[in-house]
Amino acid sequence: MSKKLLLAASAAAILSASPAIAADDADLDALRAEVQAMRAAYETKIRELENKVETLEAKQVRTDERVASVEPAAGRPPVPATSSRQVNDNSFNPEIGVILQGKYQGFSEEDGDIAGFAIGEEAERGTEGLSIDETELNFSANVDNLFRGNATVALHEHEGEVEVEVEEAYVETTSLPYGLQAKAGRFFSELGYLNSHHSHGDDFADRPLPNRAFLDSNYGDDGVQVSAILPTDFYSEIGGGVYRGNDFPGGGAEGGDIGSWTAYGRVGGDVGDNTSWRLGASTLQVSEADRAANEDMVVFSGDSGLYIADARIVHAPTGNNAEQELIFQGEYFHRDDDGFYDDMDAGTGPVAYDDSQSGWYAQGVYKFDPQWRAGVRYSQLYAGDVPAGLVGSALDDGGHDPWAAAAMVDWTNSEFSRARIQYNREELADGHEDNQIILQYIMSLGAHGAHAY
Amino acid sequence: MRRLFFLIAGLGVLLASPSPAFAAVNVFACSPEWAALAEEIGGDLVEVKSATNARQDVHHIRAKPSLLAAMRKADLVFCTGASLEIGWLPILIKKSGGPNVQPETIGWLMASDYVQKLEVMSNIDRSMGHIHPEGNPHIQLDPHNIATVADVLAERLMLLDDTNAATYQQNLKSFQDRWAGLISQWEADAASLKGRKIVVYHNAWAYLVDWLGLEVTATLEPKPGIPPTASHLETVLKQVQGKDVQAILVSPYEDEDAAEWLSGKSNIPVVHMPFTVGGNDKAGSLSALFDETLRLLKQGS
C-alpha cells in the first residue's frame, strides 16, 4: 500500500514538474470534462447498486412476513397471499409466445398432386428450398376467474405473398364442474388425434397424407364446442361442436345455417406405471358445402361426412418419459361425399358423385436419449371410384393408391428448441416417385403453453 | 361405417357409469412425497392418487388420460408449485378440474407457496436453462418444510371435510410430535455431514444442502434441464480434482451415465439417493425417506 502511495506521489511530482507535458487550456478542459463524466457514471452506478440493495432488502422483509404469516389464522382458509412480485401495469398483459420455424425442402419430383384427391392450400407440400415456413404468434391469458382467451396468428408466404391467418381465436371455460369444458370462437376441433394440435409440436416435418387430404392439415372453423370428462375410473370423454362450415372440407358458408358439426368419444388409461393409451372415434359432418380445392380449380358441392378412428400408445422403457419414450400413433379416415364435383382444369362441368374415400397412417417415434428421437411413418390414401364424367379429372386416381413413407431424426436441446432432418419417399401419383429431404428447426420464444397428451 | 362409428362412440357413454365414492376427500398429489404426507394426515379418510412415481421426472410428465380422469374426481390438488408442474398440470386443471380445485381456492394447495424458497431469481432469461423464477421448487428434502406443509394440509382437509376435522387435527398432532423428534434425531445424526462436498446431477438438492450444511462443488448439468455434455464434464472433473468431494448424488429418474463417467475418472462414489418416497426399496414412507437419505450420505463417504 505504502509503496503504491509513494509511486503515485512521485508520479504526481514528476507530472507537475515536467514542462514537457504542460497542457494547453483546451486539453485541460477536455480532461476535466472526462473526469466529470467518469464521476457522473460512477455516481449513477452507485445509486443503481444502492437501489438494488434496497429492493432486495424490501423483498427479504416481504418474504419473511409471508413465511411468518403462514401460521394459519383460525377460520380463514390458508390460501397463499398472492405473489410477492410487484404489480405493474403490464402484469396483466397476456402471455406472448412466438414460434419460429425454418425449413429446407428438396424434392426430386416436380409435381406434388395427389392422384384422386382435390386438396386445399395447406395440404400442398410446401416451398422447395429455404423458407421460414410459418411464424406463429400466440397470445393467451385468463380473462377472469371463469374464462381463458387464446389467439394464434400465423404468418406464412404463399406464392410470393405474405398471408396472415387467424389460426385460432377462442375463449374457453377454465373451471366448470362435472368435467365439462366449453370453447367458443375459431379453434382446431377435437377430431382424431392430430387435428387439435398445432404443427410445431408434431413428430414429423409434415402432416400425414390423410390429414392433408381430408382436413387440409387442420380443421379450424368458427363455432362452439363442448366436452365432458365422464366420472369413470379410467378416462372417458365425449364432446362435440357446431360450426359455420367454412373451413375445408367445408367452404362457401353463407346465411344463418350451421354448416357443419362434430362429435367424438374417447377412452384411455394406463397399463402399469410405464404405458398409457388412448382410443378415439370422431366425425365431422358438413352439409351443403362448396369446397374449393386444387387452387380453386376443383369444387365439390354437396354433403360430406368424415369418420376418424385414432389410437395412441406411449411407453417409457425405463419408467421415465424424460429419459426414453416410445410412441405409437395411428389414425384411420373414411369420407363419404354426396354431391357434385366440377374440375374446371379438366372442363368436366358439375358431375354427380356419391362415393367414399379413405386413408390411414401409422407412425412410431422412439426417444432413445433425452435429446434425441428417431421416427418412421407410413401413410396411404384410397380414392373413390369416379363416374364416367370425371375420368381424367383430378378425382381420377388412374388406378394408383397414393402412399408416402417418412423417416426422421430430431434433436431437442431444451423444450424450447428442436432441429430435425427428415427423408420422405412418396408416390402420390402413378409413376411420380418423389424423394424428399427436409431440414427443419422449430423454436419457441416467450410463453409456451403446456402440450396436451 | 356410420354404424361402427356410433357403436364406438356409444361404448364410451355406456362404460361411463358413475363409480361409488369410497373416500371423503379425493387428493390428487403431483408427486410421491405429497401423496405420502396426505396419507399421514388424512389416514383412511382420504383417497390419494399420486400422478407420478419416484422414477419419473416431475418436470416432464404427459397430461395423460389417466390423469385427466383422476383430476375429474379431485377435491384437493396437492402439488409443489413454483412452476415445477407447469408442463402438464395447467392442462389437467383446465380440462377436467372443477371449480373447487382452481388456483387460489381451498382445493388448490401448492406446497412451495408456504416455505421460504431458495434461489429466488429476479432477472432471468431462457439462456440460463430451465429456471424457475419463483425459486428452487425441490423443497421436499428439508424436513422442516414437510412440517410446515403438514400444517397447511391439515387446515385444508379440515375445511374440505369438517365432519372429520377432529380426526385430522389429531393426525396432525401425532405426526408433528413424531416428526419433531425425528428431526432432532436426524440433525444430531447428520452433524458430521456439515461441510461435506458433493457433486449433484441437477440442482434438485438445494434444500437438503441448505438443511445439512453440505457444499455443492459441481453440477453435472451445464445448465438446469440441459443434459450433461462431454466438455462440461471435463470442466467438472477439473473442478472436483483435489477437492475431497465425497459423493455424486443421483436421483432415481436421472441418467447415471454422466455420474458413472465422473466417478470412474475421479474415484468419487456415485450415490443413488431416493429423492422422494419410493425412491428406493427402503424409502417407503416420509420418515424412511430421510433415514435413507442420511444413511446413504454417510455411507457415501
Side-chain angles (χ1 to χ4, degrees):
Chain A
M1 186 64 209
S2 56
K3 226 181 222 171
K4 262 188 203 157
L5 265 179
L6 213 71
L7 263 172
S10 48
I14 292 166
L15 279 175
S16 55
S18 158
I21 52 160
D24 60 51
D25 281 357
D27 272 354
L28 258 179
D29 280 344
L31 206 66
R32 236 178 245 133
E34 206 170 301
V35 169
Q36 201 67 34
M38 265 164 71
R39 186 197 280 160
Y42 275 118
E43 274 172 1
T44 330
K45 206 152 243 166
I46 285 169
R47 253 202 309 277
E48 265 173 28
L49 279 172
E50 278 174 340
N51 282 343
K52 227 174 229 173
V53 168
E54 260 170 36
T55 329
L56 279 175
E57 277 174 342
K59 233 178 221 166
Q60 184 65 37
V61 169
R62 265 204 300 276
T63 324
D64 288 349
E65 279 170 3
R66 223 166 129 220
V67 171
S69 73
V70 161
E71 296 298 322
R76 192 174 59 86
V79 171
T82 36
S83 155
S84 59
R85 249 182 288 161
Q86 271 182 327
V87 176
N88 298 321
D89 284 343
N90 61 2
S91 62
F92 295 116
N93 281 359
E95 296 146 29
I96 298 174
V98 182
I99 307 283
L100 298 174
Q101 308 189 63
K103 245 185 197 172
Y104 170 82
Q105 299 199 108
F107 309 134
S108 72
E109 165 65 45
E110 256 176 55
D111 190 19
D113 288 346
I114 304 176
F117 288 85
I119 55 169
E121 191 184 292
E122 305 277 324
E124 295 167 16
R125 64 181 178 179
T127 319
E128 191 161 18
L130 288 163
S131 72
I132 55 165
D133 202 21
E134 192 175 81
T135 306
E136 264 183 44
L137 306 175
N138 177 269
F139 307 85
S140 65
N142 286 330
V143 177
D144 54 23
N145 57 330
L146 294 181
F147 302 103
R148 186 171 177 84
N150 190 318
T152 304
V153 177
L155 308 172
H156 55 99
E157 250 174 32
H158 186 68
E159 289 171 355
E161 295 202 11
V162 177
E163 293 183 352
V164 180
E165 189 195 351
V166 180
E167 274 198 340
E168 295 195 287
Y170 62 83
V171 291
E172 62 186 345
T173 60
T174 55
S175 53
L176 289 185
Y178 312 116
L180 288 166
Q181 195 191 16
K183 222 178 204 184
R186 176 177 301 176
F187 50 88
F188 294 157
S189 295
E190 294 290 350
L191 278 174
Y193 177 79
L194 274 180
N195 190 66
S196 59
H197 293 74
H198 282 268
S199 61
H200 69 254
D202 284 6
D203 296 326
F204 291 84
D206 53 353
R207 285 261 149 128
L209 283 181
N211 293 71
R212 286 160 60 190
F214 295 121
L215 295 166
D216 197 21
S217 292
N218 282 103
Y219 175 66
D221 211 338
D222 302 356
V224 180
Q225 178 181 273
V226 178
S227 67
I229 294 187
L230 304 171
T232 47
D233 281 336
F234 61 96
Y235 158 79
S236 56
E237 178 179 340
I238 53 169
V242 291
Y243 308 89
R244 183 174 175 81
N246 214 22
D247 194 39
F248 193 99
E254 50 189 35
D257 289 346
I258 283 167
S260 65
W261 59 268
T262 62
Y264 69 91
R266 280 180 196 151
V267 291
D270 290 342
V271 181
D273 278 348
N274 301 347
T275 308
S276 59
W277 60 276
R278 199 186 90 176
L279 276 177
S282 47
T283 183
L284 166 61
Q285 300 287 333
V286 183
S287 47
E288 290 171 37
D290 283 312
R291 177 202 306 154
N294 286 15
E295 296 176 345
D296 297 344
M297 292 315 287
V298 178
V299 175
F300 168 79
S301 318
D303 299 341
S304 179
L306 179 65
Y307 306 87
I308 309 170
D310 64 277
R312 181 171 160 92
I313 299 171
V314 179
H315 173 68
T318 58
N320 178 17
N321 300 61
E323 212 58 49
Q324 280 187 26
E325 192 174 56
L326 197 52
I327 304 173
F328 293 105
Q329 180 183 313
E331 294 183 64
Y332 174 78
F333 295 70
H334 177 100
R335 183 170 75 187
D336 294 326
D337 278 338
D338 185 0
F340 296 86
Y341 266 108
D342 183 356
D343 184 342
M344 286 168 257
D345 266 339
T348 60
V351 180
Y353 180 100
D354 183 6
D355 204 356
S356 61
Q357 308 108 40
S358 62
W360 59 274
Y361 78 87
Q363 67 179 51
V365 175
Y366 178 36
K367 173 153 86 177
F368 53 94
D369 176 278
Q371 294 188 307
W372 289 90
R373 310 188 309 159
V376 288
R377 182 183 70 195
Y378 185 82
S379 16
Q380 176 97 57
L381 290 173
Y382 305 96
D385 293 332
V386 283
L390 289 174
V391 171
S393 74
L395 278 299
D396 184 355
D397 65 9
H400 177 77
D401 295 327
W403 60 269
M408 75 87 194
V409 173
D410 66 20
W411 172 71
T412 308
N413 178 51
S414 68
E415 55 259 63
F416 310 108
S417 67
R418 175 171 285 168
R420 174 181 291 141
I421 181 165
Q422 182 172 328
Y423 169 72
N424 288 352
R425 186 177 172 82
E426 316 187 333
E427 193 176 354
L428 302 188
D430 200 16
H432 291 264
E433 260 194 34
D434 196 359
N435 291 298
Q436 307 179 345
I437 187 90
I438 307 175
L439 300 168
Q440 184 190 27
Y441 66 79
I442 307 158
M443 313 232 167
S444 111
L445 308 182
H448 188 219
H451 277 192
Y453 174 68
Chain B
M1 188 62 211
R2 232 172 256 245
R3 207 173 289 167
L4 179 72
F5 165 75
F6 284 110
L7 198 76
I8 297 172
L11 202 69
V13 184
L14 276 178
L15 288 168
S17 52
S19 47
F22 293 109
V25 182
N26 279 304
V27 180
F28 181 101
C30 284
S31 39
E33 66 273 14
W34 306 132
L37 186 58
E39 266 157 12
E40 296 267 5
I41 308 298
D44 296 338
L45 298 171
V46 295
E47 175 100 0
V48 184
K49 157 88 185 177
S50 179
T52 61
N53 63 43
R55 288 193 55 78
Q56 297 174 323
D57 183 349
V58 186
H59 291 97
H60 300 285
I61 294 297
R62 289 184 177 275
K64 56 185 183 175
S66 61
L67 297 183
L68 282 167
M71 182 59 80
R72 164 78 166 79
K73 293 192 294 185
D75 301 308
L76 176 66
V77 175
F78 184 18
C79 295
T80 300
S83 300
L84 180 62
E85 300 96 351
I86 190 119
W88 49 283
L89 187 59
I91 289 202
L92 301 179
I93 286 288
K94 193 175 74 178
K95 186 90 185 140
S96 67
N100 301 324
V101 293
Q102 296 296 317
E104 315 289 318
T105 61
I106 292 169
W108 175 263
L109 171 46
M110 296 294 120
S112 71
D113 284 345
Y114 296 91
V115 304
Q116 173 109 48
K117 281 188 286 297
L118 302 171
E119 300 165 11
V120 179
M121 309 220 179
S122 51
N123 275 320
I124 60 159
D125 180 283
R126 290 238 171 98
S127 67
M128 298 157 81
H130 190 111
I131 293 272
H132 300 265
E134 304 88 336
N136 190 315
H138 307 285
I139 62 168
Q140 80 275 15
L141 287 178
D142 180 344
H144 297 282
N145 287 346
I146 300 284
T148 308
V149 176
D151 281 341
V152 185
L153 172 66
E155 182 91 2
R156 297 295 179 92
L157 288 173
M158 285 186 254
L159 286 163
L160 287 166
D161 178 22
D162 53 1
T163 51
N164 291 311
T167 315
Y168 297 123
Q169 184 78 63
Q170 183 61 42
N171 291 353
L172 175 69
K173 192 179 177 311
S174 66
F175 174 80
Q176 292 292 30
D177 288 349
R178 189 164 55 88
W179 200 248
L182 286 169
I183 288 182
S184 33
Q185 261 178 44
W186 289 325
E187 287 179 350
D189 200 29
S192 62
L193 291 170
K194 196 169 165 61
R196 174 150 311 188
K197 293 189 178 69
I198 55 166
V199 170
V200 299
Y201 182 96
H202 175 74
N203 194 10
W205 306 91
Y207 293 86
L208 180 71
V209 165
D210 184 56
W211 174 47
L212 298 179
L214 309 175
E215 253 179 64
V216 176
T217 309
T219 304
L220 297 182
E221 286 181 335
K223 301 213 159 137
I226 309 282
T229 57
S231 62
H232 179 70
L233 286 178
E234 292 287 351
T235 316
V236 170
L237 182 60
K238 285 196 196 100
Q239 281 176 321
V240 299
Q241 266 159 357
K243 288 268 174 64
D244 189 31
V245 176
Q246 305 267 0
I248 304 168
L249 304 194
V250 178
S251 76
Y253 65 79
E254 286 165 349
D255 178 32
E256 58 186 11
D257 291 352
E260 293 293 351
W261 180 89
L262 184 65
S263 177
K265 294 272 180 191
S266 64
N267 285 325
I268 305 168
V270 174
V271 181
H272 292 271
M273 302 288 281
F275 190 63
T276 182
V277 176
N280 71 20
D281 292 345
K282 292 178 192 149
S285 67
L286 278 169
S287 60
L289 166 65
F290 286 96
D291 288 341
E292 274 297 284
T293 300
L294 294 187
R295 182 182 72 79
L296 288 164
L297 272 179
K298 296 180 107 182
Q299 181 195 298
S301 53

